[in-house]
Amino acid sequence: MKIQKAAVIGAGVMGAAIAAQLANAGIPVLLLDIVLPDNPDRNFLAKSGIQRALKARPAAFMDTGRAALITPGNLEDDLKALKDADWILEAIIEKLDAKRDLWARVEKVARKTAIISSNSSGIPMHLQIEGRGEDFQRRFVGAHFFNPPRYLHLLEVIPTPKTDPKVTETFSEFAQTTLGKGVVIANDVPGFVANRIGVYGIVRAMQHMEKAGLTPAQVDQLTGPVLGRANSATFRTADLSGLDIIYHVANDLGKATPDDEDFTLTPAFRTLVEEKKMLGDKTGSGFYKKTRDEKGKTKILNLNLDTFEYEDQGKVKVAAVDAVKGQPLPARVKALYAAEGNEGDFLRGVMNDGFWYAARMAGNVSNRLQDIDNALKWGFGWEQGPFETMDTVGVQTVITNLEAEGRTLPPLLAAMKASGRDAFYSGDQTVTPTGEPTAYQAPYFVVTDLKKDATKVVKKRAGASVVDMGDGVLLVEWHAKMNALGEDQLRAVQDAHRLVQDMGYAGLVLGNQGENFSAGANLPLILSQAQADEWDELDDAIKQFQTVTTSLRFSPHPTVAAPFSLTLGGGAEFTLHADHVVASAELYMGLVEVGVGLIPGGGGTKEMLLRFTDSQQPGQQLGATLLPAVQRAFELIGTAKVSTSALEARNLGFLRDTDTVAMNKNRILQDAKRQVLALAPGYVQPTPRQDIPVMGDAAIAAIKSALYGMHQGGYITDYDLVVSDQLARVLSGGTGNNRTAKVSEQHLLDLEREAFLTLLGKKGTQQRIDHMLKTGKPLRN
C-alpha cells in the first residue's frame, strides 16, 4: 500500500518534529494530543506543538508554508479521523500502560490497511501490542526516530515476531524514499541498536576518563572529529541529549541486561543528575556551561569533576590529537589506537570496549553488521561504524589486544580469529554475526565502492574524477577540500564532455558524496594572482570558468547536477546551468560572492536575471515593468542570500519548478542518473539566448536611488556601494542601453567578467577576501 496520509499522536518535542518532517515530505498529517482541562481550546497542545516546531532552531520545517499540511486535533473529538490515515505513529509518554491503552482505542477506529507504529526509544514493541488482534499486530512495526528528525538520518525500524514482512518492507521503502531516512532494521531488544551501543560507549568513556585522569574537555578532543566522530564527541553529546536522559537510559539498560553488560554510571555522573540537577543544555549547565565575558562574547566553561565548579580552561591541548593533525582518517585511527601515555590508554580502553561490545551485539540488536555500523553513523554522526573502524585498525590486531586484556572473544570475533580474516568488509562480501561470509550490498549508490573497480574510473585528476556510473552515464566527481573550484574541477567537466561524445555515453551527472557539493571558488589562488597583478591570467581563467559552467547548458547531451549541503558561489553557478537538478532536501545554496567584495562571475548573475525576467508575463518584459525582476535578482545576489533547504531554494529561484527535490541525500546520484537517461532520447542541444530584455540606465538609476537611501540609513557600508554599483551595471545590461534593449547571454557574461576583474583589482575587495580567509567571516568595510 502507498502511504499518502499520516497521523501522529503526541504533540511533544518529538511528535511535533516528526509531524514537521512528514510535512516537509509533502505528506498531510493529523497531529493529535490530549485535551487540557479548563482550556477552552481543545486542540491547544497540538497547536502548541506546531508552533514549537515553527520556532525550533535548528528549523524543523524546510519551508514554514509546509506547516499548513499539519491539522491539529485531540484524542477525544478527532480519534475517528484516524480512519483516513495510511500510517499512524504514537509519540506519547514512555509508559507501557499508556501505550497499551492508546492502542486499544486506535484499533477500534484505524483502517484495516493502516500501518501502526511506536516511536518508543526503549519500550519493547511486542509488549505494547499484547492483547491486540492478530491483524493489528501484523501491521505494527516500531519506528524510532532520532532527534531532531529532520537532521539525524537514522530511523530504526523494529518489527515484532508478529509483523508481516511485507509491512516492514513497505514502510522501510517509504521511510527511505519519501521521508529521506537511513533505515536500520533493529531487533526488538532493549535499546534497539544505536542507543544500546552508543549509550554503552558513553558510560564506558566516563569510566575510562576517571581511570586515565583526563577531563571531559580532553576526552571530547580525543573522541570527536579526530576519531571520525561528531563535533559534539562524548560529553557535549551528553549535554545535548540531556544528562537525565542518559541517566535513565543507562539505568534501564542496566536493569534489562543485568548479567551481560556494564551500564554502571560513575559517582560523579550520578552526582550531577541526582544532587546538582545539572542536566546539560536544558538546565544551562552540564559538563559545559555557556556564559559571556565582559565584552558580551560567548565563552564556554568546563566542569571540574573534583569540585563541580566551572573553569575557563582556555584552548584544551591534547598531544595525541596534535600528533595526527592533517592526516587522513584511516591514518589517524591507527595512530590513535597505538598512542602512548594516559591518552593512548584511554583511547584503547574506549575503542576496545566499543569493538568488543559491538561484536557481542551482532545478531542480538540486529542481524547484519552493516546495520550496526549505519546506526552509529546515522544516529551519532560517526564517519565509520565499529566494524568499519576495526577494519581500519586490523581485525586481528584488535583480537590480539582484546585477548591480552583477558577478555573472552564474542562468537563473531572467535570466528574471525579462526578464519584469519582481517576485515569484516571485503569487496562485495561481508560476514554474518557468526562469521560466515555473505554478500554485501550498500543500501545506495556509493562512489568509493564503484571506484574500487579501476575500469570504472575513466579519467582521474588530483581533485576530481570522471567515473562510469553504468548504463551509459558518466559522473563528474569533485573530491578536493570543501570541493573548492580550481583547474582540476573545471578540466574534469571538460574531460567528461569529450568522453560522452567520443565514447557514445548518454550524458553526465555532476555530483559527489563529500561533505559538501562545493563551497565555491579557490579564493587563496584568486587573491594571490590579483596581488601579483596577473590580470591576463585571471581574465583567461574567468573566461574558462564561464565556458565550463555554461557548457552544462549548451552541450549536445543532457547534464544533471546533484547538489547537497553547501552549494555556494561557483558551485551554485554550475547547478544553475544544468539541464535538470536533483537536489538534496538539505540544500544550502547561494551566490555569496558579495561577501568577499565580488559578484558572481561564472554566469550566476546572468542566470538569475534570465530566470526572473522569464517569469514575467510577456507584456511585462518591456520598460519599467521589467524592474521587479531586476530588483529581485539584485536583492538575492546583493544580500548573499543562502537557502536553508531545497524548498526555500525553489522559492528563491535557485531551483526551477521542474527540478527534483530528493529527501534522501544518499539517493540523489542514482536519481540524477535516471534523469539523464530520461532526457537522453531525442535530446536537442540548446543554443545561447540572443533576446534578453534589459533596462539599461533606467534600472541603474532605480537601484542607485534605493542604495543611496540604504547607505544614508547606515544599512550598507561605503564598500557595499562599490560592489552594488557593479552588480547593478550587469543586471541592467550595461550603461547606454534604453528600456527596450535586448542583449545576448554572451554580452551579460562579458559584463560579469569585467565587473569581477574590476572589483578584484580594488583594495576593498582584497581586504574582504583576506579577512574571509583568515577568520571565516565577512568584512564590512
Side-chain angles (χ1 to χ4, degrees):
M1 66 169 293
K2 192 172 182 180
I3 297 176
Q4 296 177 309
K5 294 182 179 179
V8 175
I9 303 173
V13 172
M14 277 300 293
I18 293 168
Q21 183 65 0
L22 281 159
N24 289 335
I27 303 293
V29 55
L30 176 67
L31 181 61
L32 303 182
D33 212 312
I34 62 172
V35 175
L36 287 180
D38 303 323
N39 192 312
D41 187 347
R42 295 175 66 80
N43 298 336
F44 175 78
L45 288 178
K47 290 179 179 177
S48 297
I50 297 170
Q51 289 303 310
R52 188 186 312 110
L54 282 166
K55 296 175 183 176
R57 293 295 179 270
F61 287 100
M62 296 176 181
D63 177 355
T64 54
R66 290 294 172 107
L69 288 172
I70 305 177
T71 301
N74 67 77
L75 284 166
E76 294 183 18
D77 303 327
D78 304 303
L79 191 68
K80 290 182 180 179
L82 293 177
K83 65 180 175 57
D84 297 323
D86 303 309
W87 176 42
I88 300 169
L89 172 81
E90 71 80 16
I92 65 171
I93 190 171
E94 284 286 82
K95 291 186 177 180
L96 180 58
D97 289 345
K99 294 183 188 293
R100 283 177 169 171
D101 290 345
L102 175 65
W103 294 136
R105 298 175 65 189
V106 168
E107 185 176 21
K108 295 175 183 178
V109 296
R111 65 170 58 172
K112 298 304 180 184
T113 56
I115 295 174
I116 316 294
S117 298
S118 169
N119 181 57
S120 175
S121 61
I123 298 176
M125 300 299 164
H126 66 276
L127 296 179
Q128 296 186 40
I129 55 174
E130 286 183 354
R132 304 277 58 79
E134 287 188 11
D135 185 60
F136 185 93
Q137 293 183 344
R138 181 183 62 80
R139 293 179 286 114
F140 187 92
V141 60
H144 179 219
F145 289 80
F146 275 62
N147 192 35
R150 173 182 168 183
Y151 299 98
L152 285 185
H153 192 51
L154 177 62
L155 175 64
E156 292 178 322
V157 173
I158 308 123
T160 75
K162 300 291 183 67
T163 303
D164 185 337
K166 290 183 179 179
V167 169
T168 304
E169 181 181 349
T170 297
F171 179 70
S172 297
E173 181 64 19
F174 165 76
Q176 290 171 333
T177 58
T178 303
L179 296 185
K181 308 310 292 181
V183 168
V184 162
I185 304 298
N187 293 335
D188 194 13
V189 297
F192 310 129
V193 182
N195 279 340
R196 179 73 169 267
I197 295 174
V199 172
Y200 177 84
I202 291 173
V203 170
R204 295 296 294 165
M206 294 173 188
Q207 296 173 357
H208 284 290
M209 175 184 69
E210 293 193 359
K211 291 179 185 175
L214 300 176
T215 67
Q218 289 172 318
V219 167
D220 278 353
Q221 288 282 321
L222 290 164
T223 59
V226 70
L227 204 58
R229 300 184 182 179
N231 284 325
S232 54
T234 300
F235 294 106
R236 181 72 187 116
T237 295
D239 274 0
L240 289 167
S241 301
L243 304 193
D244 54 332
I245 302 299
I246 302 292
Y247 176 90
H248 290 301
V249 171
N251 283 337
D252 289 346
L253 286 172
K255 292 174 184 176
T257 59
D259 299 327
D260 300 316
E261 284 81 60
D262 182 6
F263 286 95
T264 305
L265 293 163
T266 63
F269 188 88
R270 290 188 174 277
T271 298
L272 279 175
V273 176
E274 296 171 354
E275 299 178 22
K276 303 292 185 179
K277 307 299 181 187
M278 295 155 63
L279 307 180
D281 283 13
K282 66 178 66 178
T283 60
S285 60
F287 288 103
Y288 301 96
K289 182 178 181 179
K290 188 182 294 185
T291 185
R292 293 186 182 277
D293 61 20
E294 60 278 3
K295 295 181 180 179
K297 188 176 180 180
T298 299
K299 183 188 294 185
I300 304 297
L301 301 179
N302 302 336
L303 181 67
N304 183 320
L305 286 173
D306 293 324
T307 64
F308 291 97
E309 298 291 333
Y310 289 95
E311 302 172 352
D312 183 358
Q313 297 179 359
K315 189 173 182 180
V316 176
K317 300 286 285 182
V318 177
V321 174
D322 291 340
V324 298
K325 277 185 178 177
Q327 298 181 26
L329 179 61
R332 297 200 308 267
V333 169
K334 287 182 180 179
L336 290 168
Y337 188 71
E340 298 180 352
N342 60 345
E343 294 170 359
D345 292 341
F346 166 82
L347 279 167
R348 270 185 303 282
V350 168
M351 293 171 75
N352 283 340
D353 277 347
F355 296 154
W356 176 82
Y357 193 59
R360 286 203 65 246
M361 291 298 100
N364 182 342
V365 297
S366 181
N367 298 325
R368 301 194 312 172
L369 270 59
Q370 57 263 45
D371 277 343
I372 295 175
D373 276 339
N374 287 335
L376 275 299
K377 290 193 291 185
W378 296 340
F380 285 88
W382 294 12
E383 289 185 49
Q384 294 183 330
F387 297 107
E388 292 169 327
T389 307
M390 276 191 268
D391 281 1
T392 297
V393 173
V395 175
Q396 297 303 324
T397 298
V398 171
I399 289 171
T400 298
N401 286 341
L402 290 176
E403 288 185 320
E405 292 179 358
R407 297 178 188 251
T408 300
L409 294 179
L412 171 58
L413 292 182
M416 293 293 285
K417 179 182 179 181
S419 70
R421 289 176 63 112
D422 202 33
F424 294 105
Y425 300 98
S426 178
D428 58 357
Q429 275 203 335
T430 182
V431 297
T432 68
T434 58
E436 296 296 320
T438 186
Y440 168 72
Q441 184 173 6
Y444 50 84
F445 178 90
V446 180
V447 180
T448 51
D449 286 351
L450 187 66
K451 288 167 68 177
K452 290 174 183 176
D453 180 351
T455 65
K456 297 295 184 182
V457 182
V458 186
K459 183 75 174 180
K460 183 174 178 60
R461 296 179 181 273
S465 299
V466 181
V467 182
D468 188 340
M469 299 179 76
D471 300 316
V473 179
L474 289 181
L475 170 69
V476 179
E477 180 214 14
W478 297 331
H479 43 72
K481 183 177 180 181
M482 296 291 285
N483 283 326
L485 299 176
E487 186 174 355
D488 276 356
Q489 289 70 42
L490 301 186
R491 290 196 179 279
V493 176
Q494 294 174 314
D495 292 337
H497 284 312
R498 284 194 295 269
L499 287 162
V500 169
Q501 294 306 302
D502 294 345
M503 306 299 291
Y505 286 94
L508 64 90
V509 171
L510 181 63
N512 62 82
Q513 289 177 327
E515 187 176 348
N516 298 290
F517 179 73
S518 173
N522 187 334
L523 285 178
L525 177 61
I526 291 173
L527 180 60
S528 66
Q529 286 183 296
Q531 292 174 335
D533 290 328
E534 297 176 354
W535 298 109
D536 289 341
E537 291 84 350
L538 279 165
D539 187 42
D540 289 342
I542 298 166
K543 283 180 183 176
Q544 183 195 24
F545 185 47
Q546 291 179 338
T547 297
V548 178
T549 56
T550 56
S551 73
L552 267 67
R553 175 73 44 78
F554 302 120
S555 64
H557 46 261
T559 63
V560 177
F564 60 93
S565 300
L566 290 183
T567 301
L568 304 177
E573 290 177 297
F574 269 107
T575 301
L576 290 169
H577 285 93
D579 289 314
H580 187 85
V581 177
V582 178
S584 166
E586 296 299 338
L587 178 68
Y588 312 115
M589 182 174 177
L591 297 167
V592 297
E593 286 84 351
V594 297
V596 289
L598 296 168
I599 70 162
T605 309
K606 175 266 300 181
E607 188 64 22
M608 298 319 298
L609 178 65
L610 263 173
R611 290 191 178 194
F612 296 149
T613 55
D614 285 349
S615 68
Q616 300 276 88
Q617 296 298 320
Q620 295 177 318
Q621 291 186 351
L622 296 174
T625 53
L626 188 62
L627 186 59
V630 177
Q631 290 173 323
R632 184 180 175 190
F634 181 87
E635 181 180 354
L636 184 71
I637 299 170
T639 59
K641 181 69 175 177
V642 176
S643 69
T644 58
S645 70
L647 300 182
E648 188 181 16
R650 179 176 283 162
N651 293 338
L652 292 172
F654 291 132
L655 298 181
R656 298 157 292 204
D657 290 342
T658 54
D659 290 329
T660 303
V661 174
M663 292 294 287
N664 195 328
K665 169 186 169 182
N666 292 328
R667 291 177 172 241
I668 60 174
L669 289 183
Q670 57 207 63
D671 289 347
K673 174 183 169 181
R674 282 195 289 269
Q675 289 291 339
V676 169
L677 294 173
L679 289 169
Y683 181 79
V684 177
Q685 181 177 358
T687 56
R689 294 269 297 274
Q690 306 295 328
D691 61 344
I692 304 164
V694 294
M695 288 184 65
D697 294 331
I700 294 175
I703 292 173
K704 281 190 173 182
S705 177
L707 289 172
Y708 176 79
M710 295 175 68
H711 184 255
Q712 289 296 105
Y715 296 106
I716 60 176
T717 68
D718 291 345
Y719 201 71
D720 288 335
L721 270 180
V722 174
V723 178
S724 296
D725 282 348
Q726 291 293 329
L727 177 59
R729 184 171 177 272
V730 178
L731 291 171
S732 70
T735 56
N737 287 315
N738 60 37
R739 292 171 181 267
T740 59
K742 292 189 176 182
V743 300
S744 67
E745 288 191 54
Q746 187 58 53
H747 176 77
L748 292 176
L749 288 170
D750 291 342
L751 289 175
E752 272 191 21
R753 188 174 70 257
E754 181 183 338
F756 189 97
L757 289 169
T758 297
L759 289 169
L760 188 55
K762 294 184 179 297
K763 182 179 179 181
T765 290
Q766 294 183 18
Q767 288 174 335
R768 286 192 174 191
I769 295 175
D770 186 60
H771 189 269
M772 178 64 76
L773 292 174
K774 288 178 178 176
T775 69
K777 298 177 182 179
L779 173 68
R780 298 299 307 279
N781 55 346

